[in-house]
Amino acid sequence: MAQWDRLNQLPAVYQLQLHELYDRDGLPMDVRQYLAVWIEKQDWKRAAQNHDYARVLLQVLLENLDIQHSRFSQEKAFLLERHHIRRYKYYFQHLGDPCVLAQTIQWFLEKEEEILQSADMAEQVQCLQVEDKPMEINSQQEVERKMAGLRNEVQCMEHAMVCLEEQQDEFDFKYQTYKMEAVVDEALMKERMSVFQELVNKLNECRKTTLSDLKKILDQTKDLIDILVGKELVEWQRRQQKACIGAPDNDCLDQLENWFTCVAACLFQVREFLKKLEELVGKMTYANDPVKAQKPALQRRADELLKDLLKSSFVVETQPSMPQGKGPQVLRTNVQFSVKTRLLVKFPELNHSMKVNVSMDRKTPKIKRCRRFNIVGTTTKALNMAESHSGGMVADFRHLTLKEQKSGGGKGVSDISLSVTEELHIIYFDTVFELKGLSVELQSSSLPVVIISNSSQQQSAWASVLWFNMISQDTKDVMFFANCPPATWSQFGEMLSWQFLSATKRGLNDDQLEMIACRLFGQRQSYDTCLVTWSKFCKENVPDTFWVWFDGILVMVKKFLEDVWSDGHIMGFVSKEKERALLKRKQRGTFLLRFSESVIGGITFSWVEIDDNGKPDLKTVQPFTTNDLSQIPLPEIIRNFQILQADNIPENPLLYLYPDIPKNKAFGKYYSEKTGDDSPYIEYIKTKLVFVSKETKC
């Protein structure tokens, strides 16, 4: 493939570099394009050092420009293009030394190669960094390609509109001159009218071509809007939904903002083109004028496409959340929360001009005794670029509060009854987009939120948010828990892993997830077909439900064990049976750390002893709870744990972290510098970390 063709297929960012390169004097971009193949076949490096050879290449260049000019004349091309060719030829003829021109062309070709190399390198880096998402990269590249094509078509249309106006001005000038001459000779008059008719025919063809090209631009725009709104935005919404419950998904909006803004700008330009056509028709029209016939339909279509794009461009960038909450979408009455909206069509002239209003549920869900709320605080803010780190157009509501309406509880309109933490509510945002004569009402809404009145409800409320965001893709389904679907084990296990990943930067591995699956379903060969119900997740075995047990561990790890967990020293989710199987073949003093299956928020360790018969004997300590860990860190417990043997000699039985890591190597970096009686934990050590082992009878 020719170098010039490769350059024109690069993503938009490199296309911009190319245009910036040819903004310099020396080699007009039009000449580079018209003569691309010929230019790339010549040895410009040799010509830069050989005057005779350079003069030959210059002569051939001028001849090629003459050929291009003739081609434009035969194709009845625009006057402006033929004018440019003549101007370029004049420029090259008066350069002087042809070696200078050869050096210049060689320099441009080398710079083009640098752009290609940068693009290739970036593509290779992307492949290395995002191995698991090739389809996403390909999708983005396809959008970029289409976006570059649309921008190019719009730029060509700008050029076409200038030429159309020049053609009409040419006709008008000649016709006005003819009228001023007051020709009376009938033959001459007939000849002149024939010339004018030919000019009108050319103008008519030009108008038809312009209208056809505008329709193509709108077709391209429709295609892009379908991709942006129907695919890219939907995928972003799903990524955001998952990111709210800990998934490591990228929910940044900057790329979407660039795309939405580009398409909107192109549509506004199309509206300007149509306005220009209307002006031209106002100055001159004729029978069967195609502009009069086709312009109204094009105008309606351009406006409809722009409105569709704008209505989808207003989104909630940051979901409602409290400063000290377990996560987004859990709100408490009389406690401040924040939420941020963003307009993906970023036009600087709209900075601070669009007011966003916030309100609560528009419709009362068909739920028995459903509560209603009012939003208190600054409920109106202007979209602006000052409150966004990336310069986006945002309205950041930071001090909103919910108040329950006294009339909120009633008989309702249904017998469906949900708990407070299964009730879902939606926050709405409204604004009006007004620019260049276009006015569009925009609305966006939050993901469903759970509203509590007491901090003790937070754990249950967060469970509802986890379940909804994990399963539902209908972001306005406030009746979700009235007929709650189950989760597949794959969905459920992934969600559990996200909780640890977001809290500690280390998720759950396959072995840990298998232990959890075994706890839920019993021992099986495969859990792929297993389904987890909402009841099994957080309603069965109240008060010690599965979620209460799991969340108790998560809170403990986040608060007291984050570093030890992140370093991989806690096996954690391992059953007693598997623990025994792992340790029974290990040397004396080998231990592992696991979470308690019976004590909420507890961690214990088991170690290998050797009995009198030389066989391994596993010992387990009573679980340490968050109360214990608040008094002494787990590494200090492991460091100072002792057993008094029969002869009252204290000994620490913990020597090797499974499989065979010396204890001090694994935990040494966490130890306090002070030891013995100087240890800040000495009282706890003396009272709770010295155990008496049972004597074994011979």
Side-chain angles (χ1 to χ4, degrees), residues 454-511:
N454 192 295
S455 60
S456 63
Q457 298 169 317
Q458 274 214 48
Q459 188 179 56
S460 181
W462 182 237
S464 296
V465 171
L466 290 175
W467 202 262
F468 180 90
N469 284 10
M470 172 177 58
I471 296 174
S472 179
Q473 296 190 35
D474 180 357
T475 57
K476 295 186 179 180
D477 183 11
V478 295
M479 299 293 291
F480 175 78
F481 287 102
N483 185 22
C484 188
T488 64
W489 167 246
S490 175
Q491 289 176 309
F492 188 73
E494 188 176 43
M495 180 272 288
L496 295 181
S497 183
W498 291 341
Q499 304 317 296
F500 272 84
L501 183 64
S502 61
T504 69
K505 306 300 183 286
R506 184 185 182 93
L508 304 179
N509 61 34
D510 290 342
D511 290 336

Side-chain angles (χ1 to χ4, degrees), residues 168 171 200-208 281 284-292:
Q168 185 163 319
F171 173 86
V200 169
N201 291 343
K202 287 182 179 179
L203 183 61
N204 187 60
E205 287 301 315
C206 192
R207 285 186 175 183
K208 284 182 179 180
V281 168
M284 175 190 169
T285 188
Y286 43 86
N288 299 320
D289 188 340
V291 175
K292 281 189 173 182

Side-chain angles (χ1 to χ4, degrees), residues 393-426:
M393 195 79 73
V394 303
D396 193 358
F397 296 87
R398 299 183 182 179
H399 306 292
L400 299 176
T401 308
L402 293 173
K403 299 280 187 182
E404 185 173 353
Q405 296 179 8
K406 291 184 178 180
S407 58
K411 292 184 178 179
V413 293
S414 172
D415 291 333
I416 297 173
S417 180
L418 296 176
S419 68
V420 167
T421 55
E422 291 175 327
E423 247 183 51
L424 299 178
H425 300 266
I426 293 178

Side-chain angles (χ1 to χ4, degrees), residues 473-660:
Q473 296 190 35
D474 180 357
T475 57
K476 295 186 179 180
D477 183 11
V478 295
M479 299 293 291
F480 175 78
F481 287 102
N483 185 22
C484 188
T488 64
W489 167 246
S490 175
Q491 289 176 309
F492 188 73
E494 188 176 43
M495 180 272 288
L496 295 181
S497 183
W498 291 341
Q499 304 317 296
F500 272 84
L501 183 64
S502 61
T504 69
K505 306 300 183 286
R506 184 185 182 93
L508 304 179
N509 61 34
D510 290 342
D511 290 336
Q512 292 163 337
L513 288 171
E514 184 180 356
M515 178 271 172
I516 295 172
C518 185
R519 179 185 174 96
L520 288 168
F521 308 111
Q523 189 68 43
R524 299 194 184 192
Q525 284 290 106
S526 171
Y527 300 96
D528 293 344
T529 59
C530 293
L531 297 176
V532 186
T533 64
W534 171 238
S535 294
K536 185 180 281 289
F537 177 50
C538 67
K539 289 194 170 185
E540 294 178 3
N541 303 319
V542 175
D544 296 338
T545 65
F546 172 86
W547 170 241
V548 169
W549 170 74
F550 185 87
D551 190 53
I553 293 171
L554 186 64
V555 170
M556 173 184 64
V557 171
K558 174 63 178 172
K559 195 169 183 180
F560 300 109
L561 306 172
E562 183 173 353
D563 290 341
V564 182
W565 169 265
S566 296
D567 287 343
H569 297 325
I570 299 175
M571 190 171 291
F573 295 101
V574 55
S575 65
K576 294 177 183 177
E577 293 76 13
K578 181 146 186 201
E579 176 189 59
R580 178 169 294 277
L582 292 173
L583 290 178
K584 69 180 182 179
R585 301 190 181 193
K586 290 296 178 180
Q587 61 183 315
R588 178 180 176 274
T590 302
F591 67 99
L592 61 76
L593 300 164
R594 66 175 177 84
F595 301 129
S596 173
E597 296 182 58
S598 56
V599 177
I600 303 299
I603 187 169
T604 184
F605 48 78
S606 299
W607 68 93
V608 180
E609 292 279 7
I610 303 297
D611 65 16
D612 292 341
N613 296 319
K615 294 181 179 180
D617 182 23
L618 265 60
K619 305 289 186 180
T620 302
V621 73
Q622 183 177 345
F624 297 96
T625 64
T626 52
N627 184 54
D628 296 315
L629 299 177
S630 67
Q631 298 180 60
I632 182 170
L634 181 64
E636 290 294 334
I637 291 176
I638 294 170
R639 180 189 191 185
N640 294 284
F641 185 78
Q642 291 182 329
I643 285 184
L644 291 178
Q645 301 293 349
D647 52 1
N648 287 333
I649 299 175
E651 179 183 286
N652 190 327
L654 309 179
L655 303 177
Y656 306 99
L657 178 67
Y658 182 89
D660 53 11

Side-chain angles (χ1 to χ4, degrees), residues 48-66:
Q49 300 170 353
N50 187 320
H51 186 273
D52 292 337
Y53 184 55
R55 190 169 55 193
V56 170
L57 289 185
L58 174 59
Q59 189 60 39
V60 177
L61 173 64
L62 296 175
E63 290 172 3
N64 280 325
L65 289 177
D66 285 336

